[in-house]
Amino acid sequence: MTEPAAATTAVVHPEPEGASAPRPRRADRAATVVLLVLAVVVGAPVARVDTWWPTLTPTTTRGDVGDVVTAGPLRVRVDDVRTGTTLEDGYDTLTTGGVWVAVDLAVSASTREASIDTLELRDAAGRDHEASQRAGNRILSRYVDPDVPEAGTVVVEVPERALDGDLVLRVLTEHQDADLDRPQAIAEIDLGRVEAPAAGTVVEVVGPALVPGGWDA
Amino acid sequence: MRAVTTTAPRAARDVPLVRAVVGTWPRRVALGVVVGVVAGTVAAGGLARHVAADAGPARAVAGEAVATGPFDVTVRSWTVTDAVRADDLEGAGADAWLVVVVGADNADRESRRLDRTAVTLPDALPGGLALAGDAEPDRPDPTLLVRDASAYPLLQPGLPEDVALLWPVTLPDAEGADLDGGPDEPLTVTVPEFRYRDMTVGGGRRWAETGDVVLVDVPPGDVPPGIVDPPEDEEDW
C-alpha cells in the first residue's frame, strides 16, 4: 500500500539515496498541499459561478410624475394622482376600508406590442399594494403599440397609513412570481406625498383612450 | 496528581469553601462544566414549563386574532345557506353552502390572497352536514369578499377585510330543510400556522405550513348581507 506514495514522492521530490526514512512524511505534506490548492482552485469558481450566469436581476428605471420612463418593452408616464373613499369605475360604486388611489397614466410599447404585467404602489414602509382586482383597471389588460400611447386610470386600494409617507408607482413588465421568477424590467415613478381624501370623496376612472399627438404632444 | 494542582489565588486561600471548590484546576474545570451545563440548559429552554405531549394544539376563542404568519386571522361565525351563489350549487352537487366568516389582516409586505388552507373544517360536521362532491375540508371554494362578494379577493397589506369561505355541503333532509334559522351549535375549525422559509426544491422563499395549528370554536351567525344573491328581478335587469 506504500508503493504508490513512494512512487509519487520519487516523481515529485527526488531524494538522494539513503534518505528513504523521511519520504512518507514529505509525501503526506505534498499531498496535503496539492489537495488544499485543488480545493481553492475548484472552490473559488464554484462560489462565484452564479455571478457569471446571465443575470435575472430586474433592471429598474426611475422617474418622476410627468416623465416618460422607459422600462424594457414599455414606456410609462404618470399624469396625475387622485384619491377618494369611494370609487366609481364605470360599472359599480366600490367602497373601501382604506383609500382608493387613482393614478392617471399613459403607456406605450417601446419596440413591439406589449402590456403591463403588474402595477403596484410601494409605500414608505416598503409594502407593495397591487392594483385592485375589484375595479376594472382596463388599461392593465390592453396591449399597446410602440410609441402609440394610450391613457387611462389604474386604481389601487391602500390602507390610510400608506399615505403617511411618499408613494412609488412600480410598473413591472414581465410575469412576477416572487417565488421563482423575477421581472425583467421595472419602471419606478416617484409620486411623492399623496394627500388623503376628505370623507365622502368620490374618485372616478378614466377609460383607456389614445393620447392625441402621442408622446410628442 | 501533583503535576495538575496549582496554588489557589490568595482570596481563595482565605476562604475554606471557595478553596475547596476552586482550589485546583481539575475542580475549576469541573465547576466550569457544571455552570456551562446549567446555563446551556436554561438558554435552550430546558427549564421552561412542561407541556404534555397529549395537550393537543393551542386554542383560540372566536373573535380573537390568530397570527398565522402571512395573515392575522379572526374567525367570526359560521352558517349554512343556499342564498349565496345559488346557481353554483347544482354543479357542485350540493344542497347549500357551509359559510365560515373570517377577518383577514394581511401581515405580509405584498398583496396576497387568503391561503386556501387558511381554515380547515373538522372531519365530522355538526347537524348531519356532509361535504358534497370533491370538496375538501381544507379547501374552501369559492372565497368571497364580504364587502361586495368579489371572488378570491386579493387582500392588501395592512388593510383588514372580512372574507367568507364557502364549502358545498349536503343536508341530511334536503327536502324539509329550513335554513332560515341557521345552525345552533358551534363548529370547531383548525387554523394552520405558516413560516416564511427557503425552499429546498425550486429555490426561492414562500410561506409554508409549520404543522402547528390553532383550534377555534366558531359560534353560529348570520349570512353576511354583502354576499347574498340579489333578488332575481334585479339580477335580470
Side-chain angles (χ1 to χ4, degrees):
Chain A
M1 291 299 289
T2 57
E3 286 180 7
T8 303
T9 305
V11 172
V12 178
H13 300 290
E15 295 288 342
E17 287 185 11
S20 59
R23 278 182 194 162
R25 182 165 295 177
R26 290 187 181 180
D28 290 347
R29 286 179 188 157
T32 302
V33 170
V34 167
L35 289 174
L36 282 173
V37 170
L38 193 62
V40 171
V41 168
V42 174
V46 166
R48 290 167 175 74
V49 69
D50 275 353
T51 64
W52 300 341
W53 238 247
T55 180
L56 289 174
T57 304
T59 56
T60 302
T61 313
R62 295 182 173 84
D64 295 312
V65 173
D67 297 342
V68 177
V69 178
T70 301
L74 285 174
R75 301 192 207 286
V76 183
R77 183 186 67 203
V78 172
D79 295 320
D80 196 10
V81 182
R82 299 169 288 134
T83 58
T85 55
T86 304
L87 175 71
E88 293 281 359
D89 74 343
Y91 302 101
D92 290 308
T93 301
L94 301 172
T95 61
T96 177
V99 173
W100 290 106
V101 178
V103 181
D104 297 320
L105 51 77
V107 58
S108 82
S110 57
T111 55
R112 58 184 176 183
E113 188 181 61
S115 73
I116 296 173
D117 179 80
T118 302
L119 184 146
E120 61 195 16
L121 288 178
R122 176 167 290 178
D123 65 21
R127 301 185 195 90
D128 293 328
H129 309 269
E130 205 170 308
S132 174
Q133 296 182 359
R134 296 172 60 201
N137 277 332
R138 287 182 291 155
I139 189 75
L140 294 182
S141 58
R142 293 179 77 88
Y143 278 84
V144 288
D145 292 317
D147 291 323
V148 182
E150 294 189 37
T153 304
V154 177
V155 289
V156 185
E157 203 176 357
V158 302
E160 199 160 346
R161 72 177 182 191
L163 304 185
D164 290 344
D166 290 352
L167 290 179
V168 174
L169 178 77
R170 290 165 48 84
V171 180
L172 284 66
T173 60
E174 192 169 276
H175 175 73
Q176 183 203 28
D177 183 329
D179 297 332
L180 299 176
D181 302 324
R182 278 172 281 184
Q184 189 179 40
I186 301 173
E188 285 193 351
I189 299 173
D190 186 1
L191 305 183
R193 195 72 171 264
V194 175
E195 290 295 322
T201 305
V202 178
V203 64
E204 296 183 350
V205 168
V206 178
L210 289 173
V211 177
W215 290 126
D216 298 329
Chain B
M1 291 302 292
R2 186 171 182 78
V4 295
T5 57
T6 59
T7 304
R10 176 173 298 180
R13 289 198 302 271
D14 294 342
V15 184
L17 178 61
V18 174
R19 182 170 45 196
V21 174
V22 297
T24 65
W25 273 111
R27 291 177 188 176
R28 292 169 197 159
V29 171
L31 179 63
V33 169
V34 170
V35 171
V37 167
V38 171
T41 303
V42 171
L47 299 184
R49 178 184 290 274
H50 172 67
V51 177
D54 58 358
R59 283 188 170 269
V61 297
E64 176 186 357
V66 177
T68 65
F71 284 95
D72 291 344
V73 174
T74 305
V75 189
R76 303 198 190 285
S77 64
W78 80 285
T79 190
V80 178
T81 182
D82 58 2
V84 176
R85 294 215 162 195
D87 293 342
D88 296 338
L89 284 173
E90 186 176 349
D95 301 319
W97 298 106
L98 189 159
V99 182
V100 175
V101 179
V102 302
D105 190 354
N106 182 352
D108 203 356
R109 301 179 70 81
E110 59 189 16
S111 309
R112 60 184 305 114
R113 291 183 171 78
L114 195 60
D115 305 273
R116 294 194 69 194
T117 58
V119 170
T120 300
L121 297 178
D123 291 335
L125 298 177
L129 298 172
L131 290 177
D134 299 330
E136 298 177 54
D138 61 348
R139 292 286 191 278
D141 191 16
T143 60
L144 304 175
L145 190 70
V146 165
R147 182 182 295 277
D148 63 3
S150 302
Y152 309 107
L154 184 68
L155 302 176
Q156 304 294 346
L159 185 57
E161 290 282 3
D162 281 1
V163 180
L165 314 176
L166 276 64
W167 286 264
V169 291
T170 56
L171 305 174
D173 179 15
E175 294 298 322
D178 177 14
L179 297 175
D180 290 342
D184 55 6
E185 54 187 309
L187 173 76
T188 302
V189 300
T190 304
V191 179
E193 296 179 353
F194 298 79
R195 185 164 59 90
Y196 200 60
R197 51 164 290 193
D198 294 317
M199 303 308 297
T200 51
V201 177
R205 306 190 79 199
R206 73 176 182 89
W207 289 101
E209 289 191 42
T210 62
D212 294 333
V213 298
V214 177
L215 296 179
V216 184
D217 292 328
V218 192
D222 296 328
V223 181
I227 65 171
V228 174
D229 292 341
E232 280 191 24
D233 55 344
E234 185 179 334
E235 198 171 30
D236 292 342
W237 182 88

